[in-house]
């Protein structure tokens, strides 16, 4: 059968036309979906209020300097088996309770906040939440907060936590 140049078919009956249109439609749909997700669930990695953050850093430094002036040191033992945190505090401050924050650098859902109550002269004890006993291991920022005469002091360190390991916290 000879080729007849006068024979033509309509564009919408051609496979390749629909193939190209499908690629374009998929691209537009994917782009629109990603734009919608980006606008409705923004990441808050950049701080917009630098002045407030700077003031917070200064307050944090003042708390650490107060801990240094008071000569505060602590030895912390976290026991996963019993779900208990024990702390021995030395220095010129012995508040009735301390706050211990175990902060995960990358996963906020793994952060743990404990209140340690004084049991003896310089001994403190607190309990890990039931759901937290399996997730305290790993790299953590450890923040210990206490008060002396209405002023808050802070010890801060970064450690790789293991159950039963004694950690030294110094200013």
């Amino acid at each position: 059968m000879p080729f007849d140049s006068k024979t033509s078919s309509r564009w919408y009956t051609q496979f390749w036309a629909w193939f190209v249109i499908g690629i374009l439609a998929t691209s537009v749909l994917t782009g629109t979906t990603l734009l919608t997700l980006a606008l409705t669930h923004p990441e808050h990695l950049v701080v917009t209020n630098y002045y407030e953050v700077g003031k917070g850093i200064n307050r944090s430094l003042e708390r650490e300097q107060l801990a240094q002036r008071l000569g505060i040191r602590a030895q912390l033992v976290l026991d996963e088996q019993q779900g208990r945190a024990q702390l021995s505090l030395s220095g010129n401050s012995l508040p009735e309770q301390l706050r211990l924050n175990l902060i995960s650098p990358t996963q906020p859902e793994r952060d743990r906040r404990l209140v340690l109550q004084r049991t003896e002269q310089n001994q403190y004890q607190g309990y890990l939440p039931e759901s937290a006993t399996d997730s305290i291991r790993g790299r953590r920022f450890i923040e210990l907060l206490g008060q002396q005469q209405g002023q808050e002091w802070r010890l801060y360190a970064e450690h790789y936590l293991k159950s039963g390991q004694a950690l030294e916290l110094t200013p």
Side-chain angles (χ1 to χ4, degrees):
M1 181 165 141
F3 178 73
D4 186 8
S5 63
K6 296 194 181 216
T7 308
S8 66
S9 62
R10 302 188 193 243
W11 68 270
Y12 54 83
T13 62
Q14 298 295 317
F15 167 77
W16 291 110
W18 286 109
F19 182 77
V20 170
I21 290 172
I23 290 174
L24 294 174
T26 302
S27 299
V28 169
L29 183 64
T30 303
T32 304
T33 302
L34 290 175
L35 179 64
T36 303
L37 285 173
L39 292 176
T40 57
H41 303 297
E43 287 291 324
H44 300 288
L45 298 178
V46 178
V47 177
T48 57
N49 192 346
Y50 295 101
Y51 179 71
E52 289 298 321
V53 171
K55 285 179 14 184
I57 290 171
N58 287 339
R59 280 191 295 264
S60 178
L61 291 174
E62 289 169 2
R63 294 184 300 178
E64 290 174 8
Q65 290 168 354
L66 177 59
Q68 190 170 18
R69 282 194 309 270
L70 294 171
I72 297 174
R73 296 181 174 281
Q75 185 174 15
L76 174 67
V77 177
L78 297 169
D79 187 351
E80 284 184 312
Q81 304 298 335
Q82 297 177 3
R84 184 171 56 196
Q86 293 179 305
L87 185 125
S88 177
L89 188 68
S90 62
N92 296 324
S93 178
L94 294 172
E96 288 301 313
Q97 72 178 17
L98 299 171
R99 288 180 305 182
L100 177 65
N101 298 320
L102 305 174
I103 303 165
S104 172
T106 58
Q107 300 170 339
E109 67 275 2
R110 294 189 67 200
D111 291 355
R112 300 293 177 248
R113 313 248 185 263
L114 294 98
V115 175
L116 305 176
Q117 299 293 334
R118 188 163 70 179
T119 57
E120 296 176 23
Q121 178 60 24
N122 65 342
Q123 300 295 315
Y124 293 82
Q125 184 173 311
Y127 294 95
L128 297 167
E130 290 290 325
S131 63
T133 56
D134 61 336
S135 62
I136 63 168
R137 293 181 186 196
R139 182 174 162 232
R140 299 297 177 106
F141 296 115
I142 301 170
E143 180 181 53
L144 182 66
L145 302 169
Q147 286 194 346
Q148 176 67 25
Q149 297 175 347
Q151 291 184 313
E152 190 171 66
W153 53 261
R154 172 185 176 206
L155 295 179
Y156 187 79
E158 178 181 351
H159 286 283
Y160 190 87
L161 299 183
K162 297 176 186 171
S163 182
Q165 175 187 16
L167 305 171
E168 190 75 27
L169 301 174
T170 58

